[in-house]
Amino acid sequence: MITPTPPAGTSGGPPPGQPEPQGRQPKGASQPRRQWRHLLGIVGPGLITGAADDDPSGIATYSQTGAQFGYGQLWTAFWLSPLLIGVQEACGRIGNITGQGLARNIKNRYSLHILRLLVILLAAANVINIGADLGAIGAAAALVIHIPAAVLMVVFTALILGLEIAISYRRYAKFLKWLTLSLLAYPITALLVAEPWATILRATFVPNIQFSTAFFYVIIGVIGTTISPYMFFWQTSQEVEENAARPARRSLRDMRADNAGGMVASQLTVWFIIVLTGTVLHGAGVTDINTAADAARALEPLVKTFPHAGEIAQGLFAIGIVSLGMLAVPVLAGSTSYALSEARGKKEGLDLKPRQGRYFYGVITGAMLIGLCLNLLGINPIHFLVFSAVFNGIAAVPLIWIINRIASDRRAMGAAASGWLSRTILMITFIGMAGSVVGLFVSTL
């Protein structure tokens, strides 16, 4: 039997689903200012997780989708949105109510052997993604700063690692929130190009299915990049950390608003990336993209809307890659460390001092250094990137089943256990992702 464990500092907090006390507002504070402060208080793990979903390796996958199939897979951004929101809401609710990360909840309910297998697979996929993201950050930054990409990779790795270890969760979360503004780079870049909006809108809502190995391989990569296991572990643990830093547990209403806003922003960014690369790259016959930096580089000679439009498009695309990479790499490393620490019963959390969290920060450091070394030693992680995304899509299938079981368990969740809508969305996600995997194998055979 699993007993809900409230997060630290939550005694006396409101019951699940009820808003927490907002506290006394400063005298004379204007209504817009109060609303703005309330909004900033709501956004957190959901927004950060959603933005991290559009990491440089994800940008490369979405750019390849647009380049190879034009608008043929644009509908995935729309149809995956409610599924992504549903899965991440269940993860956030698990962390909010139980006060424990996803790995610890799996450990409590299922076999330790199952958890270890899932965590090992998660860590392997995350390290590949970290390596690919660091390589993309260096290559994209080199387009703007004109310093060797290898030097920039080392600099950004040291900067990201230093920030994640040296500062508290509360300050680090604020830093990550500001980085989410880099999502705006892609709508702005897409609007620099004349777009066939009628065709685009139709492709957004009407699914297009091609029964070929290439189509299913890329679409599973898109699904695996969008609904990815590292996001499950990260958001669950971040809800625990968010509550530990508050005087009272935040309400489920605020958690759901934060989650929905973050996932919608993430999928809008995906939509604009596919629109941009579908119009510019596919339209020019450029159908093969290896990295996000390749996509940025390819835009310059092709965007000719006005003088220097190509340079501006390349610069905006590259800045978005660097900023989102600085957000996503610590999320990837952090989710790996949360999972491994919980599986081994070690202390975890970004509020730990380095001496207190030697294992936790050691895993983060090791994951980043291995990813960096993959690039510096000439082992190109990009070659494994699409495979990693496909692998994530396959690995997410059993995890979604487990998440649905935990979130629906009244022994663990109490009155906040999943209702019919949450259970239905997660089952549709499970069946849809499992069906895509089957489609890939069948088309391959």
Side-chain angles (χ1 to χ4, degrees):
M1 182 172 185
I2 304 172
T3 303
T5 304
T10 60
S11 58
Q18 297 299 317
E20 66 180 47
Q22 296 302 316
R24 185 174 297 175
Q25 296 290 342
K27 188 175 180 180
S30 64
Q31 183 68 16
R33 183 179 297 179
R34 288 196 298 269
Q35 292 174 344
W36 177 247
R37 286 177 178 171
H38 179 64
L39 178 62
L40 289 179
I42 289 175
V43 298
L47 178 63
I48 294 168
T49 305
D53 195 21
D54 297 325
D55 66 316
S57 58
I59 294 169
T61 301
Y62 304 133
S63 298
Q64 176 61 35
T65 301
Q68 186 171 353
F69 296 104
Y71 310 132
Q73 295 186 2
L74 188 59
W75 56 273
T76 58
F78 174 76
W79 290 102
L80 286 177
S81 294
L83 308 184
L84 176 62
I85 291 171
V87 173
Q88 292 302 133
E89 186 275 339
C91 293
R93 183 157 38 88
I94 289 170
N96 184 287
I97 298 301
T98 67
Q100 298 179 337
L102 182 57
R104 198 177 298 276
N105 274 283
I106 295 173
K107 184 178 179 180
N108 289 341
R109 184 182 177 103
Y110 294 97
S111 163
L112 183 59
H113 296 296
I114 294 176
L115 174 60
R116 284 175 177 168
L117 175 61
L118 291 172
V119 168
I120 289 171
L121 297 178
L122 171 77
N126 282 1
V127 167
I128 292 172
N129 272 357
I130 289 169
D133 284 352
L134 289 174
I137 290 172
L143 294 176
V144 179
I145 304 176
H146 305 299
I147 294 176
V151 175
L152 291 170
M153 273 190 284
V154 174
V155 170
F156 277 105
T157 301
L159 176 62
I160 294 168
L161 188 57
L163 288 172
E164 193 160 15
I165 294 176
I167 63 178
S168 67
Y169 167 77
R170 180 61 61 184
R171 293 174 61 192
Y172 191 63
K174 288 181 180 179
F175 170 72
L176 294 180
K177 285 180 188 179
W178 283 110
L179 281 179
T180 62
L181 292 175
S182 54
L183 291 173
L184 296 173
Y186 299 102
I188 294 172
T189 308
L191 294 176
L192 294 175
V193 180
E195 306 283 3
W197 292 114
T199 302
I200 288 169
L201 288 175
R202 184 180 185 280
T204 299
F205 300 107
V206 180
N208 167 60
I209 303 293
Q210 300 176 23
F211 291 95
S212 67
T213 302
F215 184 88
F216 277 104
Y217 193 76
V218 173
I219 206 169
I220 290 177
V222 170
I223 294 171
T225 302
T226 303
I227 303 177
S228 193
Y230 76 86
M231 296 170 60
F232 308 162
F233 288 91
W234 173 263
Q235 185 161 356
T236 308
S237 293
Q238 287 305 285
E239 286 295 335
V240 178
E241 297 240 26
E242 185 75 15
N243 283 330
R246 290 170 174 259
R249 183 174 62 201
R250 72 172 183 161
S251 68
L252 291 181
R253 182 184 64 185
D254 286 353
M255 183 275 293
R256 285 166 175 151
D258 171 32
N259 173 72
M263 300 311 138
V264 168
S266 171
Q267 288 306 98
L268 278 174
T269 303
V270 172
W271 187 83
F272 276 110
I273 291 172
I274 297 177
V275 165
L276 174 65
T277 55
T279 300
V280 177
L281 303 186
H282 184 78
V286 179
T287 60
D288 190 20
I289 295 296
N290 289 319
T291 71
D294 286 347
R297 194 179 295 108
L299 290 174
E300 182 178 5
L302 298 176
V303 178
K304 303 176 182 179
T305 313
F306 52 84
H308 304 294
E311 296 175 12
I312 295 172
Q314 175 186 268
L316 284 171
F317 206 94
I319 290 170
I321 293 167
V322 173
S323 299
L324 289 172
M326 288 189 66
L327 188 153
V329 168
V331 170
L332 284 159
S335 68
T336 305
S337 190
Y338 279 119
L340 283 170
S341 298
E342 291 171 9
R344 297 200 60 191
K346 303 290 186 179
K347 291 182 179 179
E348 83 278 357
L350 293 173
D351 266 334
L352 292 174
K353 301 296 183 184
R355 285 186 178 181
Q356 297 172 313
R358 288 176 181 171
Y359 183 86
F360 178 76
Y361 291 121
V363 173
I364 289 175
T365 303
M368 288 195 196
L369 291 181
I370 293 172
L372 177 64
C373 288
L374 289 177
N375 290 278
L376 298 181
L377 294 176
I379 304 171
N380 191 351
I382 299 300
H383 295 160
F384 305 99
L385 187 56
V386 176
F387 169 77
S388 176
V390 172
F391 172 79
N392 276 330
I394 296 171
V397 174
L399 271 171
I400 291 171
W401 175 270
I402 291 172
I403 290 167
N404 194 21
R405 295 291 299 273
I406 295 173
S408 302
D409 187 353
R410 291 194 175 274
R411 296 173 299 172
M413 303 295 293
S418 298
W420 68 268
L421 180 59
S422 177
R423 293 194 302 271
T424 301
I425 290 175
L426 264 68
M427 283 306 299
I428 291 174
T429 309
F430 171 78
I431 293 169
M433 295 188 73
S436 296
V437 173
V438 172
L440 172 64
F441 287 125
V442 170
S443 63
T444 302
L445 294 174

